[in-house]
Amino acid sequence: MQPTSPRSSRIIGTGRCLPSRVLTNFDLEKMVETTDEWITTRTGIHERRIAADNEACSDISVAAAKEALAMAKLDAKDLDGIIIGTISGDMLFPATATLVQDRLGAVNAAAMDVSAACSGFIYGLTLANAMIVSGQMNRVLVIGSEVLSKFVDWSDRATCVLFGDAAGAAVLEGCPAGEGLLATHVKSDGSLAELLCIPGGGSRQPLGPTTYLEHSHYIKMKGDGVFKWAVRAMVDAAKTVLDETGHSLADVSLVIPHQANIRIIDAVVERLEIPRERVVVNLDRYGNTSSATIPVAYDEVVREGRLEPGDLVLFTGFGAGFTWGSVLFRHSISL
Ligand code: UT7
């Protein structure tokens, strides 16, 4: 929704963390019945990062958060809240955000996770913005962080080639309306939950010998259903925030779509008629890192100096649930 309050929030610092281990398509050829040619042409992915055995969601979240706080020139004690969009936290509970709160020393911050799969960062930004606009908080750290490599069935070639691990972070601070975030839009349709889920290990199918033998504690996906739906959802969400603010795509300097598949991005680009050079793509290097794709890509373009303060940026994404959404904002960081 477009804020009606005199207050808004802006991003004042970003950071990212990519695990150092690289898994290429050629490595995958040795693990499952696949080829570099199939993966490249069907997805656009060449390689992805995989967390170390002892590396968890909170570890990469903390690393990304420290970079974002440093760019924002803030101490962790300045934070009022920490929100992590994740579906691959360290534990089922407590929230990974609480572990990050402790390790950062963010002694004044509330902390929670948001389960919106690949839309987790967009949902997190939307919540953080709402908290700031309402006056309950002034500085909120939002992180998209996933270690999906530990939830992927490495014998299922239809899914194991797609995902990678990463964390991206952004610090939001209150600002006058008209600066920073101009509109947020989030939606869901739970009738599509079964198209992309981890069915086992929850209270419906608790972890046990059956779930283990059936591999139902791993990611299950009906890829073609997700594909068609993703294009429609990302296009609709992008149009909604543009319509609400009276902007057109011609006003937008960069579009950062969720990085799931280059063919999904191509279809979105074609339908929205966005000039290709204004669309950020990095999935060739990182694969689909779920909630981390958008904050990682934003941090890259920020540090590459591809944006000027005041430039309009559009995030659009979708994920399991299904969930989807967009954020339109004015870039506020000058390095
Ligand atoms: O963030 C949200 C996460 N999910 C997504 O975004 C997924 C969206 N969907 C997709 O990206 C695509 O549907 C996939 C990349 C998953 C699959 O591409 P597709 O063009 O829809 O392929 P398909 O599922 O129709 O499979 C075509 C063939 C099948 O073989 P048959 O039945 O035609 O003989 C698959 O078994 O490709 C086969 N296949 C593979 N072959 C080699 C599936 N995975 C692989 C593989 N290597 N890794």
Side-chain angles (χ1 to χ4, degrees):
M1 272 186 70
Q2 192 180 1
T4 46
S5 149
R7 201 166 139 83
S8 184
S9 67
R10 63 180 163 217
I11 298 175
I12 56 169
T14 61
R16 67 180 186 273
C17 174
L18 281 309
S20 56
R21 194 189 336 175
V22 176
L23 185 74
T24 67
N25 293 349
F26 298 104
D27 296 327
L28 281 161
E29 285 182 352
K30 296 177 202 132
M31 296 164 62
V32 284
E33 186 74 34
T34 192
T35 59
D36 169 58
E37 201 263 335
W38 192 95
I39 302 170
T40 305
T41 53
R42 296 291 178 118
T43 73
I45 301 165
H46 294 289
E47 58 185 44
R48 68 287 291 143
R49 302 299 182 91
I50 303 293
D53 292 347
N54 63 354
E55 204 169 25
C57 185
S58 65
D59 301 322
I60 58 175
S61 300
V62 166
K66 284 182 176 170
E67 282 196 0
L69 286 167
M71 188 188 287
K73 299 188 175 62
L74 287 184
D75 189 271
K77 293 185 182 64
D78 300 326
L79 294 172
D80 305 310
I82 299 175
I83 300 175
I84 304 190
T86 187
I87 48 165
S88 52
D90 291 26
M91 297 182 257
L92 267 180
F93 75 89
T96 299
T98 61
L99 310 177
V100 171
Q101 176 275 330
D102 174 51
R103 283 172 59 188
L104 289 175
V107 291
N108 299 309
M112 64 174 163
D113 290 354
V114 176
S115 179
C118 304
S119 313
F121 184 73
I122 286 178
Y123 267 64
L125 279 183
T126 302
L127 284 172
N129 181 59
M131 298 290 246
I132 291 170
V133 166
S134 73
Q136 291 189 46
M137 294 185 179
N138 190 38
R139 289 180 179 133
V140 182
L141 172 66
V142 183
I143 301 173
S145 179
E146 305 287 4
V147 183
L148 285 177
S149 63
K150 300 195 187 187
F151 299 87
V152 156
D153 184 344
W154 288 102
S155 66
D156 175 15
R157 68 177 183 175
T159 52
C160 75
V161 303
L162 303 175
F163 298 102
D165 302 333
V171 179
L172 260 74
E173 180 181 72
C175 69
E179 298 174 27
L181 272 63
L182 303 182
T184 62
H185 173 73
V186 280
K187 296 277 280 184
S188 67
D189 184 348
S191 70
L192 302 162
E194 286 183 3
L195 289 182
L196 180 53
C197 60
I198 297 181
S203 57
R204 178 67 60 197
Q205 294 180 39
L207 199 56
T210 311
T211 45
Y212 187 75
L213 287 173
E214 289 174 353
H215 284 197
S216 59
H217 55 304
Y218 291 132
I219 294 172
K220 304 285 176 205
M221 184 177 71
K222 296 195 175 71
D224 53 344
V226 180
F227 191 112
K228 284 181 208 135
W229 220 87
V231 174
R232 204 167 58 225
M234 285 164 78
V235 167
D236 283 356
K239 283 185 177 166
T240 302
V241 289
L242 289 166
D243 289 350
E244 276 185 5
T245 54
H247 283 290
S248 76
L249 272 162
D251 305 327
V252 176
S253 298
L254 282 180
V255 177
I256 305 187
H258 171 49
Q259 312 278 307
N261 184 317
I262 193 66
R263 292 187 292 137
I264 293 176
I265 294 176
D266 286 345
V268 170
V269 166
E270 192 179 310
R271 282 175 208 200
L272 289 175
E273 297 178 13
I274 318 167
R276 192 73 215 194
E277 63 279 7
R278 288 203 226 140
V279 181
V280 180
V281 174
N282 66 6
L283 91 172
D284 50 323
R285 288 175 286 138
Y286 305 137
N288 180 351
T289 61
S290 187
S291 65
T293 63
I294 289 173
V296 165
Y298 182 51
D299 183 59
E300 286 192 336
V301 297
V302 168
R303 288 173 195 273
E304 284 163 10
R306 286 177 65 185
L307 287 165
E308 295 291 328
D311 282 354
L312 274 185
V313 182
L314 174 66
F315 294 160
T316 188
F318 75 97
F322 281 172
T323 56
W324 65 98
S326 284
V327 175
L328 182 71
F329 66 100
R330 287 206 183 278
H331 178 70
S332 308
I333 300 169
S334 59
L335 292 181

